[in-house]
Amino acid sequence: MGFDALSKLKSAGVVAEEYLKEKWEHRKPRDALEAKEDAIEIEKRQRHEKNVFLRLVVAKVTGESVSEMPPLECDPTTSHRAVFLITTLIEFGNFELSKTTYDLLARRVGMSQASISHWALCVIDRSLNPSYCYDLMSDQMALNLLGKNNFRVAEITSEFIDTWSSCSYVGETTKTHAEIQELGAQHMVLHPRYNLLTDNCQDMAESLVRSLCNGKIISQAKLREELSLVSPKIALDLMVARLKSKIEVLDEHEDSDTVKEDVNVIKDLWHRVNHKQ
């Protein structure tokens, strides 16, 4: 009797196991189908979000460069990335050049806003990967103060795009984020010190563009090139104002290297103004 009961229990267990196995075999295709449908929905949402982001970039592009730009649309399979030169207002610690200052320099001095703005390169990834901004900044945030170069990298957000004062399409690149970071590190080895007029964010941007876009040159006015065209009198006024800010606002000592450097420049400009050279 006990043997029969045990046999029946065993048979019932086999039947239950077969039932569960059959149900699982039926369930697996449904689970796989649901997982596939979920993945499709996730990618669809990511594509939509990326296209919204790309439209923000396109809306900022100015000038004739927009006509040269291939469609900026999401494509998860492409390795081609769009390279943009963007500008933002310059900040130097306690100083920020306002829109009024830019307008004044444009009217009275003839300097373009692009030449006296902070430059950065933005590499826009058409795939679902993040897009990044690369720029150079001094660790000494004082006007024209010599400092150590900092190569900065940041993921581009919609909030950052809002701060762009201009955006020009430069070209295409297939270099990866890691490769671009390596190029930035190499630039810092060759240019360890920052100077507003001689080794700045504009120089780094031009160097990166040549490497990313097969030797292409940025057709934007540069700060020192435009300053060289400014009359000695206006240049003298600008230098005196800068020296005044260093001493009276930043409280620099008159024996500091940067103050001495500015004084020497002022002496040269003073000589040129008074000798009408």
Side-chain angles (χ1 to χ4, degrees):
M1 183 71 179
F3 178 79
D4 290 341
L6 189 61
S7 179
K8 289 179 180 179
L9 286 173
K10 184 177 180 181
S11 297
V14 170
V15 171
E17 183 179 351
E18 290 296 327
Y19 172 78
L20 291 174
K21 184 177 180 181
E22 182 180 358
K23 294 289 286 184
W24 174 247
E25 291 299 324
H26 280 59
R27 175 73 187 183
K28 280 199 298 185
R30 289 202 302 271
D31 286 348
L33 180 61
E34 289 176 2
K36 184 177 181 179
E37 290 175 346
D38 288 344
I40 291 173
E41 283 300 314
I42 290 173
E43 182 176 328
K44 183 179 178 181
R45 185 177 70 252
Q46 290 176 331
R47 278 175 173 263
H48 172 73
E49 292 172 352
K50 189 57 176 273
N51 278 320
V52 170
F53 170 81
L54 294 176
R55 284 195 290 271
L56 292 176
V57 175
V58 172
K60 282 286 189 173
V61 181
T62 55
E64 298 178 358
S65 66
V66 67
S67 63
E68 305 170 2
M69 182 176 66
L72 199 62
E73 299 172 349
C74 180
D75 180 358
T77 65
T78 187
S79 61
H80 286 266
R81 301 169 180 85
V83 181
F84 294 88
L85 171 67
I86 67 98
T87 62
T88 59
L89 300 184
I90 293 179
E91 294 184 14
F92 300 100
N94 298 329
F95 301 98
E96 178 177 342
L97 298 186
S98 67
K99 184 65 166 58
T100 302
T101 304
Y102 282 112
D103 291 341
L104 177 64
L105 288 171
R107 290 196 318 271
R108 300 294 179 83
V109 183
M111 299 172 70
S112 66
Q113 181 170 325
S115 71
I116 47 177
S117 295
H118 179 66
W119 287 18
L121 277 192
C122 290
V123 178
I124 305 299
D125 201 316
R126 291 182 174 86
S127 75
L128 298 176
N129 294 321
S131 299
Y132 292 95
C133 175
Y134 310 90
D135 72 347
L136 195 70
M137 183 58 70
S138 170
D139 64 348
Q140 301 287 339
M141 299 301 290
L143 195 58
N144 199 33
L145 193 62
L146 288 170
K148 182 181 179 181
N149 267 335
N150 282 333
F151 178 63
R152 304 190 304 182
V153 179
E155 184 174 339
I156 300 171
T157 63
S158 57
E159 291 78 14
F160 177 55
I161 294 174
D162 285 340
T163 68
W164 298 356
S165 55
S166 73
C167 173
S168 300
Y169 173 74
V170 177
E172 299 287 317
T173 187
T174 57
K175 291 193 181 297
T176 65
H177 176 50
E179 289 172 328
I180 298 173
Q181 287 181 293
E182 179 60 29
L183 290 172
Q186 292 173 8
H187 182 87
M188 287 184 61
V189 170
L190 297 174
H191 307 275
R193 308 298 294 178
Y194 187 98
N195 185 281
L196 178 63
L197 298 181
T198 60
D199 196 354
N200 55 39
C201 59
Q202 298 179 357
D203 296 288
M204 196 278 295
E206 288 191 333
S207 175
L208 274 186
V209 163
R210 284 194 293 271
S211 298
L212 297 181
C213 302
N214 299 319
K216 192 164 187 177
I217 298 174
I218 300 174
S219 59
Q220 295 252 10
K222 290 187 63 177
L223 177 58
R224 65 169 173 267
E225 291 171 355
E226 291 206 3
L227 276 178
S228 68
L229 301 177
V230 175
S231 74
K233 177 63 173 67
I234 295 176
L236 177 62
D237 292 342
L238 290 172
M239 289 299 300
V240 170
R242 182 174 62 190
L243 181 63
K244 184 174 183 290
S245 296
K246 283 185 178 182
I247 295 175
E248 297 182 7
V249 179
L250 295 177
D251 198 27
E252 285 194 41
H253 195 274
E254 64 181 45
D255 290 330
S256 71
D257 290 339
T258 56
V259 169
K260 288 180 178 178
E261 179 184 350
D262 283 359
V263 168
N264 288 334
V265 173
I266 290 172
K267 285 181 179 178
D268 178 64
L269 290 170
W270 177 263
H271 177 80
R272 291 167 61 190
V273 168
N274 286 277
H275 288 80
K276 302 184 186 302
Q277 294 181 0

